[in-house]
Amino acid sequence: MNRIRSLALPIAVTLTAGALSALAAGTAQAADVNVARNGGFESGLANWSCTGGTGASVSSPVHAGSGALKATPAGQDNARCSQTVTVKPNSTYTLSTQVQGSYVYLGATGTGTQDVSTWTPGSGAGWQKLSTTFTTGPSTTQVTVYTHGWYGQPAYVVDEFSVFGPDGGGGTDPGPSVPGAPAGAAVSGQSANALTLSWNAVGSATGYHVYQDGVRVKTVTGGASTQITGLTASTSYSFQVSAYNAAGEGPKSAPVTGTTTGTDPGPGPGPAVPKHALTGYWQNFDNGATVQKISDVSAQYDIIAVSFADATTTPGAITFNLDSAGLGGYTVAQFKADIAAKKAAGKSVILSIGGEKGTISVNDSASANNLANSAYALMQEYGFTGIDIDLENGLNPTYMTQALRSLSSKVGSSLVITMAPQTIDMQSTQGGYFKTALNIKDILTVVNMQYYNSGSMNGCDGKVYSQGSVDFLTALACIQLEGGLDPSQVGIGVPASPSGAGSGYVSPTIVGNALDCLTRGTSCGSFKPSKTYPGLRGAMTWSTNWDAKAGSAWSNSVGPKVHGLP
């Protein structure tokens, strides 16, 4: 409201009661402040208290700055870390933080009104923002804010914790200033249609804006590098980067130029995956199942996933070591010839990355490039036609997407990409596996979720189903089918025999019933999907070796069922 200082002529002014109150109170409102202290954990655990000594200050991973909180649930301790903040009565505050991990909670108690909390199922990788609001009571001057994990889950990480609202008089951390220009911008990882841009991190930055030829094309959080895709071969591009935080966007970096390579012919196209496909994992080790050569694998299998690639000392990079001694003298030359023969027969032989003991981690642009480059080299060396992602320790959707798109740009449209997430990894589209699958939907072949070693899980109707039943297979598949994946990208993964998994084995008949239920609407249990999905890709098993040990009963039953789907 403008105030009249003086006029040459007299004037009558009428003010309402509301306007008079506004004048009496003053029209300007104080800006909200962050009443949490050490929310970026730059000062270790100062101002924070964690139950049972479960929390620690770490320098990696961090969302911004140089520190973050890492806390590990143990036994009956969910690793609760909290601090008490000073607030103003009858006021509203926004509570938020960045988190990594599975089942991470954020909340406030002692608000004097309604205590609040929120959580994310997460996936163990990638930053996610949690946020909620609370209102203080008429006499509330202090509130306890907290974060915690969940029983039996791995460690979680928290950074950039804030409680924004009116200043309660308890003191605040200094507000941020606009960050400076990033230095060290460089281009690497050139391919025909992608370039990798990296730069030096700016300590006060929340994230970065990337400019291509003067136009903002990307925003990056949680790292100081990114892959720029969709470029034209043999073309030069100019890039700049700016840092930003709550105070605003800083100046752009000095420009850096990168040039894409010419068209890359790749290792040669692989056979097309059939509309309905059977996938089997082949064991490169002897664990009591039938020892097989690739040539021994039943012709029912359309996709054969060689298990597993091995990690190297280079982050993200993989190699493959054939266990010739353990496989009865199977030579590398025979192995390569068998792959070529399967390929000639229209089969896809791919390399699986991960497994129960897999230690491969892709959590930045460098490791993403290492994975893509090493996987491409192995495809050229052995004749693999794709890769399978079976990382059971979680994955970072940002950088796994970068790696898979980079590999796709090298190989072309014949690349086969499969995934074998655990059931918990596909309960929410916010999970790292689900995000990655949706990120690469245009190049993804199939997600064969493991419906075993799981326990009970929610179905798409919100009901809880126990493993080992047709309802468990159909109600959980429904989450993927209704969550954004195409039916052709969904497969049912089960053990080939009771020896193939610790729990969750179902007979081939149950697998067939589930396939019929999802594609035809028949043979369902208590759960019946609201529509049918005739394009469903098929089924997967662990493993071809356990299948052979049981007389190939699984593939001889489920194979014809899959190939006979509508």
Side-chain angles (χ1 to χ4, degrees):
M1 181 177 184
N2 293 325
R3 300 203 178 180
I4 300 171
R5 294 187 178 179
S6 63
L7 286 173
L9 298 175
I11 186 170
V13 179
T14 302
L15 295 176
T16 66
L20 288 170
S21 297
L23 283 173
T27 57
Q29 298 294 321
D32 286 346
V33 298
N34 182 10
V35 298
R37 305 299 300 272
N38 189 29
F41 303 96
E42 310 301 323
S43 301
L45 296 186
N47 303 103
W48 291 90
S49 175
C50 297
T51 56
T54 53
S57 175
V58 296
S59 58
S60 179
V62 298
H63 186 269
S66 60
L69 165 70
K70 183 176 183 178
T72 307
Q76 296 302 307
D77 191 333
N78 61 11
R80 186 178 190 269
C81 296
S82 63
Q83 73 165 269
T84 299
V85 297
T86 303
V87 295
K88 198 172 183 179
N90 294 321
S91 300
T92 299
Y93 291 82
T94 298
L95 173 63
S96 66
T97 189
Q98 295 284 344
V99 302
Q100 276 194 32
S102 300
Y103 298 96
V104 187
Y105 287 71
L106 172 71
T109 62
T111 61
T113 57
Q114 182 176 353
D115 292 348
V116 297
S117 68
T118 186
W119 64 285
T120 174
S123 65
W127 289 103
Q128 298 183 57
K129 185 175 182 179
L130 283 178
S131 183
T132 187
T133 60
F134 64 87
T135 300
T136 55
S139 59
T140 303
T141 58
Q142 288 191 319
V143 170
T144 298
V145 292
Y146 65 86
T147 182
H148 67 72
W150 198 246
Y151 310 103
Q153 296 296 317
Y156 68 92
V157 185
V158 170
D159 201 1
E160 300 304 297
F161 195 103
S162 64
V163 186
F164 273 98
D167 188 353
T172 63
D173 286 336
S177 57
V178 174
V187 172
S188 62
Q190 290 90 342
S191 69
N193 53 19
L195 295 168
T196 296
L197 178 66
S198 61
W199 56 90
N200 296 339
V202 178
S204 61
T206 301
Y208 303 91
H209 296 311
V210 176
Y211 293 83
Q212 175 184 317
D213 296 328
V215 178
R216 185 192 293 183
V217 294
K218 206 167 189 180
T219 296
V220 179
T221 59
S225 62
T226 190
Q227 186 182 51
I228 311 297
T229 59
L231 306 179
T232 303
S234 303
T235 304
S236 293
Y237 297 88
S238 177
F239 300 99
Q240 289 177 284
V241 184
S242 67
Y244 69 87
N245 59 20
E249 180 181 3
K252 297 177 184 176
S253 67
V256 61
T257 300
T259 303
T260 53
T261 63
T263 302
D264 191 337
V273 175
K275 177 182 178 181
H276 299 298
L278 196 71
T279 301
Y281 285 79
W282 175 84
Q283 298 177 187
N284 180 37
F285 50 85
D286 180 4
N287 66 346
T290 299
V291 172
Q292 291 183 312
K293 297 179 174 62
I294 292 293
S295 57
D296 298 328
V297 175
S298 168
Q300 292 288 352
Y301 292 100
D302 305 291
I303 302 175
I304 303 168
V306 171
S307 310
F308 292 99
D310 297 310
T312 72
T313 56
T314 302
I318 57 172
T319 188
F320 177 74
N321 299 294
L322 184 69
D323 184 12
S324 296
L327 302 181
Y330 195 18
T331 66
V332 171
Q334 287 177 301
F335 178 71
K336 292 179 179 178
D338 287 347
I339 291 176
K342 285 291 185 182
K343 183 176 177 179
K347 310 299 183 180
S348 298
V349 183
I350 64 178
L351 180 60
S352 183
I353 300 170
E356 179 185 1
K357 299 180 180 179
T359 57
I360 296 156
S361 179
V362 178
N363 52 23
D364 56 26
S365 284
S367 56
N369 285 332
N370 293 336
L371 174 58
N373 292 336
S374 59
Y376 183 64
L378 292 171
M379 291 180 67
Q380 292 178 304
E381 180 180 357
Y382 290 95
F384 298 123
T385 54
I387 61 172
D388 169 70
I389 305 301
D390 186 18
L391 297 174
E392 297 186 6
N393 58 336
L395 54 78
N396 183 306
T398 299
Y399 296 111
M400 184 55 72
T401 297
Q402 177 183 322
L404 295 176
R405 288 205 173 277
S406 176
L407 181 60
S408 177
S409 71
K410 299 173 187 294
V411 177
S413 61
S414 67
L415 176 67
V416 175
I417 301 177
T418 69
M419 294 183 174
Q422 301 170 98
T423 53
I424 196 171
D425 296 322
M426 301 298 286
Q427 284 278 287
S428 166
T429 56
Q430 296 305 304
Y433 254 106
F434 217 140
K435 278 187 176 180
T436 303
L438 294 176
N439 286 349
I440 62 164
K441 186 176 177 180
D442 57 314
I443 58 173
L444 173 66
T445 306
V446 62
V447 176
N448 292 303
M449 190 172 74
Q450 303 174 45
Y451 293 78
Y452 51 94
N453 296 337
S454 166
S456 300
M457 286 286 161
N458 288 328
C460 67
D461 57 355
K463 296 180 180 179
V464 176
Y465 294 94
S466 298
Q467 64 180 359
S469 66
V470 66
D471 287 332
F472 189 76
L473 305 182
T474 55
L476 268 68
C478 174
I479 295 176
Q480 300 169 65
L481 292 163
E482 295 302 311
L485 293 182
D486 188 84
S488 67
Q489 296 171 322
V490 177
I492 295 175
V494 295
S497 74
S499 301
S503 64
Y505 171 75
V506 292
S507 70
T509 300
I510 295 296
V511 179
N513 289 344
L515 293 171
D516 280 338
C517 178
L518 292 169
T519 60
R520 297 184 171 97
T522 62
S523 303
C524 299
S526 63
F527 172 81
K528 186 171 184 178
S530 59
K531 61 182 179 180
T532 58
Y533 307 92
L536 193 80
R537 178 68 76 175
M540 170 276 281
T541 196
W542 176 269
S543 62
T544 65
N545 307 74
W546 284 115
D547 182 28
K549 182 80 169 181
S552 299
W554 192 88
S555 57
N556 286 341
S557 175
V558 180
K561 188 72 177 182
V562 166
H563 298 137
L565 291 175

